[in-house]
Amino acid sequence: MSTTANTIDHSTFESLVEAGAVRGADVIGHHGGWSIVVKYGMTERALAQRRGAVRSFRKLETLIRYLKDIGVSQFNVNATDYDPESLKTTRARPDSAARMKAAFDAAAHTEWMQQKVASSLADPRPNVAHEQVMAKARALIDAKRKQHAAKAKA
């Protein structure tokens, strides 16, 4: 189902039920699941998700549990456009798989880094100053450059 201006959110629906203003609910079957149309006063509105799109339930049992938890135990069911075959499609989400892989990789890297830090902190050898390490590295680089320049001249 698509986004529509004629929707009602969960908290409004719950408030209307508590106030006794709901005169009925229709459960509408569609391609991919079920949705709810709430009837109150002279108005009918579809139940919406947080982002404004019409909320869709994949399983009728889940929708029934939702309605009963709110306090609606009687409703009409229209299964004319319901297509159970559409639910048999795979729900694989490659974007979720990539996101989960990245999360596991990040966790593995964090664990590796924590192990390295722990072993460094546990190392009994004396610390070496950064300047001393950099001076040795610069000397090594300069020596290699001279060696490379001497080979190029030969």
Side-chain angles (χ1 to χ4, degrees):
M1 304 217 57
S2 62
T3 303
T4 177
N6 295 325
T7 58
I8 184 173
D9 66 358
H10 167 77
S11 59
T12 304
F13 181 30
E14 197 171 38
S15 298
L16 288 170
V17 170
E18 287 175 9
V22 174
R23 60 179 173 87
D26 289 338
V27 174
I28 311 294
H30 55 83
H31 180 79
W34 303 90
S35 59
I36 304 170
V37 174
V38 180
K39 299 176 181 180
Y40 59 99
M42 298 301 293
T43 308
E44 294 184 0
R45 304 233 189 251
L47 181 66
Q49 299 174 356
R50 288 186 181 147
R51 292 174 218 72
V54 173
R55 182 166 181 186
S56 182
F57 295 82
R58 284 185 55 85
K59 295 180 180 179
L60 184 60
E61 294 82 9
T62 306
L63 184 143
I64 292 170
R65 187 176 326 113
Y66 171 80
L67 287 174
K68 288 187 81 170
D69 287 347
I70 286 183
V72 176
S73 57
Q74 292 185 346
F75 46 86
N76 299 317
V77 177
N78 179 347
T80 305
D81 293 330
Y82 177 69
D83 181 14
E85 294 301 315
S86 66
L87 296 175
K88 293 183 181 178
T89 61
T90 180
R91 291 184 68 185
R93 295 207 29 206
D95 59 323
S96 292
R99 187 174 60 247
M100 290 301 292
K101 184 180 181 330
F104 282 118
D105 289 347
H109 177 75
T110 300
E111 183 180 342
W112 172 80
M113 182 61 79
Q114 288 171 345
Q115 289 173 353
K116 290 291 186 183
V117 168
S119 67
S120 177
L121 291 173
D123 190 348
R125 295 179 292 181
N127 291 332
V128 179
H130 175 74
E131 293 80 21
Q132 186 179 354
V133 172
M134 291 307 295
K136 279 186 174 182
R138 280 189 210 101
L140 180 63
I141 291 170
D142 290 341
K144 291 292 182 179
R145 282 186 181 149
K146 287 178 185 176
Q147 188 181 20
H148 184 67
K151 282 185 180 180
K153 286 182 182 180

